[in-house]
Amino acid sequence: DGGITQSPKYLFRKEGQNVTLSCEQNLNHDAMYWYRQDPGQGLRLIYYSQIVNDFQKGDIAEGYSVSREKKESFPLTVTSAQKNPTAFYLCASSIAGGGYTFGSGTRLTVV
Amino acid sequence: DQQVKQNSPSLSVQEGRISILNCDYTNSMFDYFLWYKKYPAEGPTFLISISSIKDKNEDGRFTVFLNKSAKHLSLHIVPSQPGDSAVYFCAAKTVDSSYKLIFGSGTRLLVRP
């Protein structure tokens, strides 16, 4: 049963702390993405990767980092440089030219 | 610079009536458009799509219309059901980027019983 899994579902971060959000897919999709959703706002692209060991910045990459060492995995690190990290984070994957399959999201809260 | 715009943040309709969600875009290079539906605390799910070579695509209660000259697309839901209450996102991709989707800000639909 193929799909895309994000973990954890809820995450709390202290000020000045780095945290990593996990995203794994078993759909054999080449491309993976990270989006951020804030209350009342749309989906904004943070980073995306079309192939292993390669990734590009999206519209709001500052304060975030990613890696793509395996086709199945695309973890997102929210660094202390991200000034307003509290948001709902969505990971997605796709084949070339196809629509996205989204994970169920991770809600990150700074405490 | 918002390339995909959903100007209505919310819409409320009576059960059984038609829901019409609108989306405008500015980039004439977009060649493929999609609608996604999102429930709270969940990821969006694909609903329906349309290629720029078509002006209409239908799937059950859902129909998407594309007006390229006006750079406008709309999603019609007939008849609307309470389970359709969700946030709907319009998305588009360009001919030169086979991967990246640009999303609108979403419209929250409430279908009243």
Side-chain angles (χ1 to χ4, degrees), chain A residues 12-20 63 77-86 108-111:
Chain A
F12 296 90
R13 190 194 94 169
K14 293 182 179 179
E15 293 276 357
Q17 196 177 46
N18 291 359
V19 289
T20 298
T77 297
V78 184
T79 75
S80 55
Q82 169 50 237
K83 298 304 179 190
N84 186 20
T86 295
L108 173 64
T109 304
V110 174
V111 295

Side-chain angles (χ1 to χ4, degrees), chain A residues 7-95:
Chain A
S7 61
K9 195 167 180 67
Y10 299 96
L11 188 57
F12 296 90
R13 190 194 94 169
K14 293 182 179 179
E15 293 276 357
Q17 196 177 46
N18 291 359
V19 289
T20 298
L21 284 62
S22 170
C23 180
E24 304 277 333
Q25 55 99 359
N26 60 4
L27 300 165
N28 201 32
H29 286 173
D30 291 314
M32 297 186 75
Y33 315 82
W34 275 104
Y35 282 85
R36 167 180 172 145
Q37 184 188 21
D38 293 282
Q41 296 193 30
L43 306 178
R44 293 185 290 168
L45 182 63
I46 304 172
Y47 268 98
Y48 65 105
S49 167
Q50 298 183 3
I51 56 171
V52 175
N53 291 323
D54 188 46
F55 48 83
Q56 288 78 41
K57 292 182 179 180
D59 301 319
I60 54 165
E62 185 176 350
Y64 300 98
S65 66
V66 293
S67 63
R68 188 84 189 278
E69 296 175 2
K70 299 186 302 182
K71 188 176 185 178
E72 302 80 17
S73 180
F74 192 43
L76 173 75
T77 297
V78 184
T79 75
S80 55
Q82 169 50 237
K83 298 304 179 190
N84 186 20
T86 295
F88 188 59
Y89 291 86
L90 285 161
C91 179
S93 68
S94 77
I95 58 173

Side-chain angles (χ1 to χ4, degrees), chain B residues 23-74:
Chain B
C23 180
D24 296 297
Y25 61 94
T26 57
N27 191 340
S28 57
M29 298 297 287
F30 286 146
D31 69 338
Y32 196 67
F33 303 88
L34 307 91
W35 285 93
Y36 282 83
K37 176 179 178 180
K38 184 182 180 303
Y39 293 114
E42 293 183 13
T45 55
F46 171 73
L47 197 55
I48 193 170
S49 63
I50 188 167
S51 165
S52 60
I53 63 173
K54 295 186 175 182
D55 55 16
K56 176 182 175 181
N57 188 26
E58 196 170 351
D59 184 3
R61 296 186 297 113
F62 303 91
T63 302
V64 56
F65 295 93
L66 176 62
N67 182 334
K68 282 188 294 183
S69 61
K71 294 192 175 66
H72 177 83
L73 67 156
S74 60

